[in-house]
Amino acid sequence: MSRSTVRLLRGLRSTRGNVLKWSRGCHSDFRGVPPLRHAEVGSLIVLSLATLYFGAQTIKLDSSFDPSPPNDRSTGFGLIPFAEVQKHCTEDDCWVVIDGKVYDLTKFAAEAHPGGSGPILQFAGRDATTVFQSIHPPGVIEHMLDPSALQGTVDPTTLPPSTQRTATEVEREITLGEIVGLPDFEEAARRKLSAKAWAYMSAGATDMYTLDLNRSSFNKILFRPRVLVDVDKVDSSTVMLGQPTSMPIFLSPTGMAGLAHPDGEKLLTAAAGECEAIYMISTNASDPLQDIVNARQSRTQPLFMQLYVDRNRPKSEALIHKINDLGLKAIFVTVDAAAPGKREADERSLAEIEASQAGEIPGVSGGKMARDRKGGGIARAKGGFIDPTLNWNDIAWLRRHTNLPIGLKGVQSVEDCVKAVEMGVEAIYLSNHGGRALDGSEPALYTLLELRKHRPDVFDKVEVYLDGGVRRGTDVIKAICLGAKGVGLGRPILYSMTYGKDGIVHALESEGLRYPSVGADVAVLRDEIHTTMKLLGVTRLDQLGPHLVRLIREPD
């Protein structure tokens, strides 16, 4: 007997077994149909065998559903009509459509979903694409689900009109080569991100007045350049709390970076290391702290930590001890989050989110996510664990648990800067939470100006940092001229990471990056900082000072 005949007979036995199993356990919609006769089974076997043996064209049915074994995706049967999906709508039989694919999530909902079965069951037999993409980064399905969960592809013509998108509704994605400055990343990210993720990242508090002021405040500062200076070579390196860095910038702590890219904070760590920049990890990171630290480019790469103090103090103490053990270099305690800001754009977008079900926050904090009656935004849902009783006396509590340098993040007045110096902290981080907390609070740059004018001695006693509205190398240099040691970048880095590691490196670097679409090295942050220094007539950061800037007018 030839080998090909043996293979043919083995395929016959396998096909016959599958068909018989299917005939005994077919879908509930076909109950009452008499069992297949031997002749019918034989016909099916011959048809299947012919298809396998001759490699004929895939058999295409119309949009009607063929009740083939649900996990057999190689038979070439037709698309699954949405009406069929709707029948699988119970706790014991749960199908869900995500991005055009049909998944059986029955077992996953009951046993493996981090938020419990509730968020999944509310979409049983429905299309959950919009809600799913709102709060999950790309790639999470492939990471979390067993391949056997995939049932097939839904017939798009049978979906409800509200879930169908035409080609004209999809905006063209902006290529990385088209981006020549940090502001370009914003529109690019808007097109790439889900509506919910975009609302969470871009939203400011209430009328977003402070959010707008953060950006426009830098336009009130003008340069006073020096000329006829040899600026052939410039050096933008500096030291932050004893840690060397190639630029006077750092990656600000931004929660839930996994919404921008599935590698989340691990990606930020790796990119910061490649660019020789410092990354400050958020307590609300979407990855475990150990995994983030393990993503360093080298064991000497410095990382800072932002700390939200938990209502349950032992949890914060355990986290601080972990920070100590993992070798992080500084702790910045957030002091402007006694209550979550009212971010209406975030709260207006889809209330049916996973955070509406109580569950553990993934990543570093381990806090509880719970929707309250004030809104369904991600920011509010994940901020409920933060301790509103935090006060000046707690700096002594923090000192008992760490020997690391301590900074206060969210200082917004000269009086509190002076108080922070008296309490013996090593750093003051001027910030209004990116315009996401108290709308109407002044930009950090205004606080920096006020501090420079009324208490310049503070700069000799602590290191001063700021963030909020920074989009250009000129913004960075203006802040350094007024006394800042470093400038944080939040949203621009989140937006850039929608392109992966290449996007972040592209945002920070310029050397060695050439794109055919623009035909040259693109002008991004390091290049902008160096160019600004040259045009200002300086070659090192310690040559910068208030003498090189002036105000258009006093801040209102």
Side-chain angles (χ1 to χ4, degrees):
M1 185 179 296
S2 68
R3 291 183 180 179
S4 59
T5 304
V6 170
R7 286 197 298 268
L8 192 63
L9 291 175
R10 285 176 180 171
L12 175 63
R13 287 198 298 270
S14 174
T15 305
R16 178 179 180 274
N18 286 339
V19 171
L20 290 175
K21 288 179 184 176
W22 168 70
S23 67
R24 289 194 295 266
C26 64
H27 194 271
S28 59
D29 284 0
F30 295 85
R31 290 172 186 167
V33 177
L36 294 174
R37 300 182 181 89
H38 290 296
E40 292 170 331
V41 172
S43 299
L44 283 173
I45 291 173
V46 170
L47 176 61
S48 300
L49 186 59
T51 302
L52 290 169
Y53 186 73
F54 294 106
Q57 297 263 343
T58 300
I59 300 173
K60 294 184 179 179
L61 307 179
D62 56 22
S63 61
S64 60
F65 177 63
D66 188 286
S68 56
N71 291 331
D72 184 1
R73 296 176 297 281
S74 62
T75 58
F77 285 111
L79 301 173
I80 302 174
F82 188 61
E84 177 63 31
V85 175
Q86 291 176 301
K87 298 172 185 177
H88 301 265
C89 58
T90 67
E91 183 176 358
D92 299 324
D93 183 17
C94 174
W95 285 15
V96 174
V97 176
I98 301 174
D99 197 24
K101 303 295 184 183
V102 181
Y103 297 92
D104 184 345
L105 301 184
T106 310
K107 184 176 180 180
F108 179 74
E111 301 177 4
H113 187 241
S117 61
I120 293 179
L121 294 179
Q122 65 178 318
F123 289 99
R126 297 169 57 192
D127 189 325
T129 301
T130 303
V131 173
F132 177 86
Q133 291 180 345
S134 299
I135 56 177
H136 293 87
V140 71
I141 290 180
E142 292 79 2
H143 177 70
M144 294 291 291
L145 285 184
D146 187 283
S148 63
L150 178 62
Q151 304 302 296
T153 303
V154 71
D155 184 346
T157 64
T158 65
L159 286 170
S162 60
T163 64
Q164 298 182 38
R165 294 185 71 191
T166 65
T168 58
E169 294 176 309
V170 179
E171 296 180 273
R172 181 187 67 85
E173 288 193 0
I174 298 172
T175 66
L176 189 57
E178 295 176 82
I179 292 178
V180 296
L182 292 189
D184 294 339
F185 279 110
E186 183 169 356
E187 174 59 20
R190 187 191 67 78
R191 298 186 188 187
K192 292 169 73 73
L193 291 168
S194 67
K196 187 68 179 180
W198 171 252
Y200 169 67
M201 292 181 195
S202 64
T206 51
D207 293 320
M208 299 194 286
Y209 179 62
T210 292
L211 179 66
D212 293 337
L213 275 180
N214 281 348
R215 180 69 200 99
S216 62
S217 63
F218 286 93
N219 296 331
K220 292 182 168 59
I221 306 292
L222 299 181
F223 287 118
R224 302 178 66 245
R226 299 296 188 266
V227 297
L228 294 177
V229 179
D230 181 355
V231 291
D232 182 48
K233 295 180 180 180
V234 296
D235 180 8
S236 61
S237 63
T238 187
V239 176
M240 299 181 186
L241 293 176
Q243 305 305 314
T245 176
S246 65
M247 290 182 284
I249 63 96
F250 60 93
L251 278 60
S252 295
T254 48
M256 305 297 286
L259 290 171
H261 191 278
D263 289 338
E265 289 75 16
K266 299 189 294 293
L267 189 70
L268 290 170
T269 299
E274 185 167 322
C275 298
E276 299 180 336
I278 291 176
Y279 170 43
M280 189 181 297
I281 305 167
S282 170
T283 300
N284 277 337
S286 48
D287 289 318
L289 185 56
Q290 180 71 65
D291 292 352
I292 298 171
V293 173
N294 289 345
R296 291 179 300 177
Q297 297 292 286
S298 71
R299 297 189 65 179
T300 59
Q301 178 185 338
L303 294 169
F304 293 169
M305 183 75 198
Q306 173 270 334
L307 177 68
Y308 283 121
V309 176
D310 200 301
R311 293 172 183 265
N312 184 346
R313 287 299 176 91
K315 280 193 173 183
S316 284
E317 291 169 3
L319 177 55
I320 294 167
H321 295 157
K322 183 181 291 186
I323 293 167
N324 295 334
D325 294 341
L326 290 175
L328 276 69
K329 301 302 183 182
I331 296 177
F332 282 76
V333 182
T334 293
V335 295
D336 64 344
K342 188 172 186 288
R343 306 171 198 172
E344 294 181 353
D346 184 23
E347 294 179 3
R348 283 193 191 100
S349 60
L350 300 174
E352 289 183 282
I353 62 171
E354 204 165 9
S356 67
Q357 304 291 330
E360 294 291 331
I361 297 177
V364 174
S365 70
K368 287 285 186 180
M369 295 182 80
R371 180 185 174 199
D372 59 25
R373 295 182 179 182
K374 298 180 181 179
I378 295 175
R380 186 179 294 279
K382 69 181 180 60
F385 72 94
I386 301 172
D387 189 354
T389 70
L390 186 69
N391 61 79
W392 289 105
N393 295 328
D394 287 316
I395 294 177
W397 161 77
L398 187 59
R399 287 288 187 202
R400 291 196 299 270
H401 295 281
T402 186
N403 294 319
L404 293 175
I406 294 174
L408 301 184
K409 179 183 181 294
V411 179
Q412 299 172 74
S413 69
V414 172
E415 293 86 347
D416 281 345
C417 288
V418 174
K419 179 70 172 178
V421 171
E422 293 172 353
M423 298 300 294
V425 302
E426 284 79 18
I428 295 170
Y429 187 157
L430 306 177
S431 175
N432 54 38
H433 224 95
R436 295 159 70 81
L438 176 63
D439 197 25
S441 58
E442 70 177 14
L445 186 65
Y446 286 4
T447 309
L448 183 68
L449 280 164
E450 189 179 7
L451 188 62
R452 167 58 64 186
K453 180 177 180 179
H454 297 290
R455 291 301 299 265
D457 59 300
V458 167
F459 296 98
D460 299 324
K461 300 172 183 176
V462 296
E463 294 185 5
V464 178
Y465 300 87
L466 67 75
D467 69 11
V470 177
R471 296 294 183 273
R472 294 289 188 185
T474 50
D475 300 337
V476 174
I477 296 302
K478 287 174 182 179
I480 303 302
C481 283
L482 292 169
K485 188 69 173 177
V487 177
L489 297 167
R491 289 183 180 90
I493 299 301
L494 284 179
Y495 298 156
S496 70
M497 73 183 293
T498 60
Y499 290 91
K501 185 179 176 182
D502 287 347
I504 304 171
V505 173
H506 183 51
L508 299 179
E509 295 282 1
S510 64
E511 300 169 6
L513 293 178
R514 291 183 64 88
Y515 293 93
S517 60
V518 294
D521 290 332
V522 294
V524 283
L525 197 60
R526 187 191 299 277
D527 181 67
E528 290 184 5
I529 289 173
H530 287 186
T531 298
T532 303
M533 292 173 68
K534 289 181 178 182
L535 294 176
L536 201 52
V538 301
T539 57
R540 301 189 315 272
L541 296 181
D542 61 8
Q543 296 170 350
L544 298 171
H547 62 288
L548 294 174
V549 292
R550 66 179 294 268
L551 276 172
I552 295 178
R553 59 185 177 84
E554 290 288 334
D556 294 331

